[in-house]
Amino acid sequence: MTTPLDHADRDDQADHDDQADYAAARAALLDGPGPGGRPRREALARLTDDWLAALHAESGAPPAGVALVAVGGYGRGELSPRSDLDVLLLHEGPIAPELPERIWYPVWDSGARLDHAVRTPAEARAVAAADLKAQLGLLDARHLAGDASLTAALRSAVLTDWRASAPARLPDLRELVRERAERHGELSFLLEPDLKEARGGLRDLVVLDAIAASWLADAPRDGLDAAATRLADVRDALHLTTGRATERLSLQDQDQVAERLGVLDADALLRQVYEAARTVAYASDVTWRAVDRVLAARTRPAVRRGFAFARRGAGAAARGGPQRRPLAEGVVEQDGEAVLAQGARPAADPVLPLRAAAAAAQNGLTVSYATVRRLAAECRPLPVPWPDEAREQLVTLLGAGEAAVPVWEALEAEGLITRLLPDWERVRCRPQRNAVHRWTVDRHLVETAVRAAAMTRRVARPDLLLVAALLHDLGKGWPGDHSEAGEVIVRDLAARMGFPPEDVRTLAVLVRQHLTLVDTATRRDPDDPATVEAITKVIGTLPELELLHALTEADALATGPAAWSGWRASLVDGLVARVATQLAGGAGSVTEAPPTAEQERLAVEAARTGEPALSLRAQAEGERPGAEPMGVELNLAVPDRPGLLGTAAGVLALHRLAVRSAGLRELDPIGAGPVLLLAWRVAAEYGELPEAARLRADLRRALDGSLDVARRLAERDAAAPRRKGIPTPPPLVAVAPAVASASATVLEVRAHDAPGLLHRIGRALDGAGVRVRTAHVSTLGAEAVDSFYLTDGRGLPLTPERAGEVAAAVRAVLH
């Protein structure tokens, strides 16, 4: 006779046999010669599905009203070797208390990690409504065994609930994503990354799928599946290498994981992980911006939109279309992003990617995903050497500081950076196995430029500082001393970028010597004359020294907190002061180029007639045959009068001409009295040059007082839409040492460029009652570096007290 105990014994034996069969099949799958990667994860999920379905069948569960459901990662149909089994036992009515245990106990006995729950559909929905993470897990619900209609009904209800609640819950989800990124860091920069929780990891892929399921937005899919596969493959290899359910790719395991995946070494492995993580992180950024736009449109009251359209009248906004604000030639702002203007022609404008990037960064925006894709697809490579505008736009982009980082990432995601700078590919995603460094090589270069952007007031050539910061470690992509390799690379690259030979030499010196100051200051006796002499042998001028000093500090600050300290800074500052003292002893004066024949002709005409004389000439980029006009050379000769510089600059600003460089000098060509000669190089803000006749007429009207330039500029500024600008270093207004000029007081102004900047400075100088005898104005990227040679009414240099008052007056108009 058979007893209940006999049945129990047979059930236990069957469970044991099932476990043994599953364990053997699982071991064969993981250790055998079959394919790895996604096929193995899917096969492991199918094997586990069959096992759990058998346990469910043997549990005595009724055929209707009970279902076994996979959720979370298991629900997505892929299992890593040590992944948890996320399982829900779903039931409609009462069930036997021992039913769940008949399924759970064999799983526990097998050693598998089980995350389980027993709920009715109503309970499952209630938990999801209260717990965002539980709701995300249920979005991936997949039927395993039992009543399939019950699983299907739950899936449908959960998706309906999620789509209805997504507008309210997505901000909470974004906050969870942000907090997780703060805790675990960015996967693409960590030496021991968490493959799941760090920003750009597997958890972010789950979030992107959840957003897509909401029907509010979807992620850019190009490359995303490959990135997900790469991260999952690395996690599989990590699980098999360690035998543990770990997500952290520790240093001690990287070589073995690389070998298991057939990757060259641990550095190559990390580079692949970083590339995948950047793809995921960029897709996340693009997707969350799309979510923001959708949610903003849903919360904007329709009535207010209607009133706004009515007030704006004609145009796209009045017709209900998006508002578009011009940023640069071919670039406008729309929905908080920089996009291409309707008339933009990427195929005919190779500078457009840099112009769009610079305009976006300077306005605290990023470039839209669709725009970057179009630029990558349609724009031709830059000619070699680069046009002047391309260099200026690159410097403008870098000068935006922190705001440049997301723009740079967008360009890099579509391959535009390596198209501009081919040597970038060798340092892209390259890890730095040094505890002092917190970034990959390429991101360290970008971060150094960010730090340098805050130091642009300290140097006379901010453009060279920013470019040197971006390029100083390019040699790390090659064998040997990276400073020596970098010098060779930068000489070639700077020449291709169109820098003149002297600037190429300076950039090469900065890259070759970028470690010299800190190494010398911390290893040599600063009071030994030989220490100073060693620096002066490689750094021969004060401008080079100030550039190297700023680059040294920016490099150290971008490396990490352990690379720079008050002690190191004081040692470097002391060494730089000693070297500067020695270099100052050999400083010579700069010889100004003589006026051209055209300038002399204009000066004679102005002296004879007592009226302004001017000439305008469209300047083609590089004077290439057939090139489109890129700017205007304007020469203006006027009998000396107060306020000339500010007035002329104001007229140019009215015509939306940005001053790239300007020079002012005093001549007396026929002995009839001084004539002021202004030589300008200007560029149109939006690519359309003003008519010469109109510009000439407005200049004459401004000079005779019939055109109130200041009032017109103020009216235009008041009518322009306001947006919060990016942080920039405060303007610097300083009186140069008396040795700078024996016949005048030199006022140096370094400030962030803005429309009408030179007009405001000129008005301040005029209001202070001083004469501008000579001026040298340069706009390097987005930074203005100006020098004004001032005298009093008698033609003498200003007293120190008077010079301080004038500097204060100029400073006041710049804040």
Side-chain angles (χ1 to χ4, degrees):
M1 185 177 80
T2 304
T3 66
L5 184 58
D6 295 329
H7 285 294
D9 289 341
R10 284 199 296 272
D11 290 344
D12 289 344
Q13 183 62 44
D15 290 344
H16 179 77
D17 292 343
D18 288 343
Q19 291 171 25
D21 292 345
Y22 172 73
R26 183 178 183 278
L29 181 62
L30 295 179
D31 300 332
R38 177 173 288 174
R40 182 173 60 195
R41 289 190 293 275
E42 292 174 343
L44 182 57
R46 288 193 300 270
L47 177 66
T48 306
D49 291 352
D50 294 342
W51 177 45
L52 291 179
L55 292 176
H56 178 270
E58 295 167 3
S59 69
V66 177
L68 195 63
V69 183
V71 297
Y74 181 29
R76 288 187 287 277
E78 292 189 30
L79 272 180
S80 288
R82 296 287 176 175
S83 290
D84 293 356
L85 300 181
D86 299 326
V87 182
L88 170 65
L89 186 62
L90 193 65
H91 64 97
E92 283 188 310
I95 58 174
E98 65 274 12
L99 175 61
E101 296 178 356
R102 292 174 183 167
I103 302 173
W104 307 151
Y105 272 106
V107 178
W108 288 327
D109 290 344
S110 73
R113 293 160 56 96
L114 178 66
D115 188 353
H116 61 90
V118 180
R119 295 190 177 107
T120 66
E123 290 171 341
R125 293 176 67 184
V127 169
D131 185 342
L132 184 54
K133 293 181 180 178
Q135 188 168 39
L136 296 185
L138 285 173
L139 292 177
D140 294 308
R142 182 170 57 86
H143 184 69
L144 294 177
D147 189 343
S149 64
L150 194 60
T151 304
L154 177 65
R155 274 188 53 84
S156 177
V158 167
L159 282 170
T160 299
D161 292 344
W162 172 239
R163 287 163 185 158
S165 64
R169 304 207 76 176
L170 282 175
D172 295 335
L173 178 57
R174 185 169 196 173
E175 183 61 21
L176 289 176
V177 170
R178 186 192 63 78
E179 291 175 355
R180 176 165 47 81
E182 288 183 354
R183 286 196 308 272
H184 297 280
E186 292 201 47
L187 176 52
S188 55
F189 304 123
L190 297 169
L191 279 177
E192 293 188 309
D194 187 310
L195 299 170
K196 185 175 183 180
E197 302 293 343
R199 180 175 183 266
L202 293 165
R203 185 77 76 184
D204 280 339
L205 288 161
V206 176
V207 170
L208 291 178
D209 287 342
I211 294 173
S214 74
W215 290 352
L216 293 180
D218 194 10
R221 293 291 162 178
D222 289 343
L224 196 58
D225 185 64
T229 298
R230 170 49 58 180
L231 293 176
D233 289 351
V234 174
R235 179 171 66 169
D236 287 359
L238 180 62
H239 286 185
L240 292 172
T241 296
T242 63
R244 295 180 290 110
T246 180
E247 310 294 342
R248 186 169 298 281
L249 185 60
S250 63
L251 292 172
Q252 65 188 21
D253 299 322
Q254 289 173 9
D255 285 316
Q256 291 174 275
V257 171
E259 182 179 1
R260 186 178 287 274
L261 290 171
V263 177
L264 178 63
D265 55 23
D267 277 3
L269 170 68
L270 278 183
R271 192 170 187 182
Q272 290 183 3
V273 169
Y274 293 163
E275 288 174 341
R278 289 193 189 182
T279 298
V280 176
Y282 178 60
S284 297
D285 291 341
V286 171
T287 305
W288 281 115
R289 289 200 300 271
V291 169
D292 288 343
R293 289 194 297 273
V294 172
L295 296 183
R298 284 174 171 243
T299 57
R300 193 179 302 127
V303 173
R304 288 179 56 193
R305 290 202 304 270
F307 285 146
F309 295 157
R311 284 197 303 269
R312 284 192 292 266
R319 295 190 299 271
Q323 286 185 278
R324 298 165 71 89
R325 180 174 72 93
L327 297 176
E329 173 63 14
V331 187
V332 299
E333 176 188 354
Q334 178 180 311
D335 292 332
E337 295 179 322
V339 303
L340 295 184
Q342 292 179 352
R345 297 182 298 158
D349 189 353
V351 182
L352 187 55
L354 281 173
R355 191 185 311 122
Q362 286 292 327
N363 284 275
L365 309 170
T366 191
V367 186
S368 79
Y369 172 72
T371 294
V372 179
R373 296 273 294 174
R374 184 181 172 194
L375 290 171
E378 298 183 23
C379 279
R380 295 179 289 107
L382 284 169
V384 177
W386 287 12
D388 290 346
E389 187 198 1
R391 287 195 314 280
E392 292 170 357
Q393 297 295 353
L394 175 63
V395 172
T396 301
L397 167 61
L398 299 176
E402 288 285 356
V405 175
V407 176
W408 189 273
E409 290 176 341
L411 298 186
E412 191 168 47
E414 296 300 331
L416 284 166
I417 296 300
T418 50
R419 186 186 301 181
L420 291 168
L421 309 171
D423 298 281
W424 195 263
E425 180 61 29
R426 295 186 71 94
V427 298
R428 189 175 62 85
C429 294
R430 179 176 287 274
Q432 304 200 74
R433 294 189 177 275
N434 185 321
V436 173
H437 278 278
R438 60 181 298 193
W439 305 109
T440 54
V441 177
D442 59 335
R443 182 57 180 269
H444 168 71
L445 294 174
V446 174
E447 290 292 331
T448 304
V450 169
R451 297 287 188 169
M455 304 176 186
T456 50
R457 303 294 177 267
R458 291 169 42 177
V459 298
R461 289 295 302 273
D463 55 332
L464 296 184
L465 172 62
L466 292 168
V467 172
L470 181 70
L471 306 179
H472 75 277
D473 272 351
L474 278 185
K476 287 186 175 179
W478 296 86
D481 186 317
H482 77 277
S483 297
E484 294 179 2
E487 177 186 5
V488 175
I489 294 169
V490 167
R491 283 188 183 277
D492 174 67
L493 181 54
R496 285 191 283 119
M497 294 168 74
F499 281 101
E502 184 60 26
D503 289 351
V504 171
R505 192 198 70 80
T506 298
L507 287 168
V509 169
L510 293 175
V511 171
R512 177 67 181 87
Q513 307 298 335
H514 73 271
L515 298 176
T516 297
L517 289 181
V518 71
D519 285 350
T520 304
T522 55
R523 299 176 184 177
R524 301 278 295 273
D525 180 3
D527 294 322
D528 186 346
T531 301
V532 173
E533 184 179 356
I535 301 297
T536 57
K537 283 182 178 179
V538 294
I539 303 297
T541 67
L542 283 170
E544 281 185 358
L545 180 64
E546 69 179 11
L547 283 167
L548 185 61
H549 188 192
L551 176 60
T552 299
E553 185 173 342
D555 182 20
L557 290 171
T559 297
W564 196 245
S565 64
W567 171 73
R568 287 196 173 196
S570 64
L571 290 178
V572 171
D573 290 348
L575 176 61
V576 169
R578 290 176 175 85
V579 175
T581 299
Q582 181 153 328
L583 291 177
S589 59
V590 177
T591 302
E592 189 172 36
T596 65
E598 174 67 8
Q599 291 171 341
E600 288 183 338
R601 182 190 68 77
L602 293 173
V604 169
E605 179 182 342
R608 285 177 175 170
T609 64
E611 296 291 332
L614 62 88
S615 67
L616 289 163
R617 185 174 76 89
Q619 181 188 40
E621 181 62 64
E623 302 298 336
R624 300 188 310 274
E628 295 187 6
M630 297 298 294
V632 169
E633 289 181 355
L634 166 62
N635 288 304
L636 173 64
V638 184
D640 191 10
R641 66 180 67 186
L644 175 61
L645 178 63
T647 299
V651 171
L652 297 182
L654 274 179
H655 285 264
R656 298 190 182 279
L657 290 171
V659 178
R660 307 310 301 171
S661 66
L664 181 150
R665 70 172 73 189
E666 189 178 86
L667 300 175
D668 189 358
I670 61 174
V675 170
L676 293 183
L677 178 67
L678 293 95
W680 311 79
R681 184 171 71 88
V682 296
E685 287 185 26
Y686 304 119
E688 294 184 3
L689 298 174
E691 295 180 1
R694 184 176 177 187
L695 181 59
R696 187 192 309 268
D698 283 349
L699 281 168
R700 292 184 182 277
R701 291 172 56 212
L703 291 172
D704 67 22
S706 60
L707 174 62
D708 190 338
V709 175
R711 181 179 63 80
R712 289 277 301 277
L713 285 174
E715 290 174 349
R716 191 179 71 186
D717 289 345
R722 299 289 180 181
R723 67 169 295 113
K724 186 178 180 181
I726 61 171
T728 59
L732 174 67
V733 181
V735 179
V739 295
S741 174
S743 58
T745 296
V746 180
L747 186 70
E748 295 181 343
V749 179
R750 298 175 184 176
H752 194 73
D753 192 30
L757 175 67
L758 188 56
H759 170 66
R760 297 200 304 275
I761 295 173
R763 292 193 67 197
L765 295 175
D766 184 40
V770 295
R771 295 180 63 236
V772 182
R773 198 190 69 191
T774 307
H776 300 280
V777 175
S778 297
T779 304
L780 305 170
E783 301 299 319
V785 181
D786 305 338
S787 298
F788 302 92
Y789 288 69
L790 310 176
T791 63
D792 61 17
R794 298 171 297 166
L796 300 176
L798 308 181
T799 65
E801 295 78 10
R802 186 79 179 98
E805 294 172 356
V806 173
V810 173
R811 200 175 293 118
V813 303
L814 297 182
H815 284 86

